Structures are given as structure tokens and as C-alpha cells.
Amino acid sequence: MNLFEGHGNREAKIRYLDGDFQILSPGSYVVCAMTGKQIPLDELRYWCVARQEPYADVISAIDADKRAGVLPNQRR
């Protein structure tokens, strides 16, 4: 059985780690913190460990860093 099979169409609860993540509560997707888009777990590539947030794509991840004021040479 595939790791992502059998958990229906519900949101997973995830703990985001450096370069990996841990599934705390099974599900088939997480929700992007910036766009609200559902991200299937097998497509999850971007997240922030410090903020424990998933992102749908690199643009969403950069926008989240801008919002948080953590990019170099960025005025707060």
C-alpha cells in the first residue's frame, strides 16, 4: 500500500523538518499558507520549518518570506 493511499480526501497534519516532514495525522493533502490551495502530499516541496507552513510553489514561499521580513536586504 502506498503511504498516501487509504486516507481519503482530508487534510493531513504535518510537522515540517529540515529537508523532510513527519505525518502527525494522516490525510491526502495540506493547504498552502499563502494561497489556500490544496497540495497533495506527494507534490509537497516547499515549507518553512520556523513557521511550520507549507507552500504550493516557490513563489508562494518567497512571498511568505517577504511577508515575514526575513529576506536579505529587506527593510522591515
Side-chain angles (χ1 to χ4, degrees):
M1 180 164 128
N2 185 313
L3 175 65
F4 306 112
E5 289 177 357
H7 301 297
N9 190 28
R10 65 179 181 197
E11 184 176 359
K13 301 299 178 202
I14 304 290
R15 184 171 75 158
Y16 300 98
L17 309 170
D18 287 328
D20 201 4
F21 56 86
Q22 177 184 23
I23 299 173
L24 302 176
S25 177
S28 59
Y29 66 90
V30 292
V31 176
C32 176
M34 294 300 291
T35 66
K37 175 183 174 185
Q38 289 185 1
I39 310 162
L41 291 185
D42 60 344
E43 296 178 18
L44 180 59
R45 303 284 182 271
Y46 304 98
W47 60 81
C48 176
V49 174
R51 293 186 298 274
Q52 290 293 291
E53 295 179 335
Y55 308 112
D57 52 39
V58 70
I59 300 301
S60 298
I62 291 171
D63 288 345
D65 284 344
K66 286 178 184 176
R67 179 186 66 191
V70 296
L71 295 178
N73 301 321
Q74 183 178 357
R75 290 190 177 128
R76 292 186 181 196

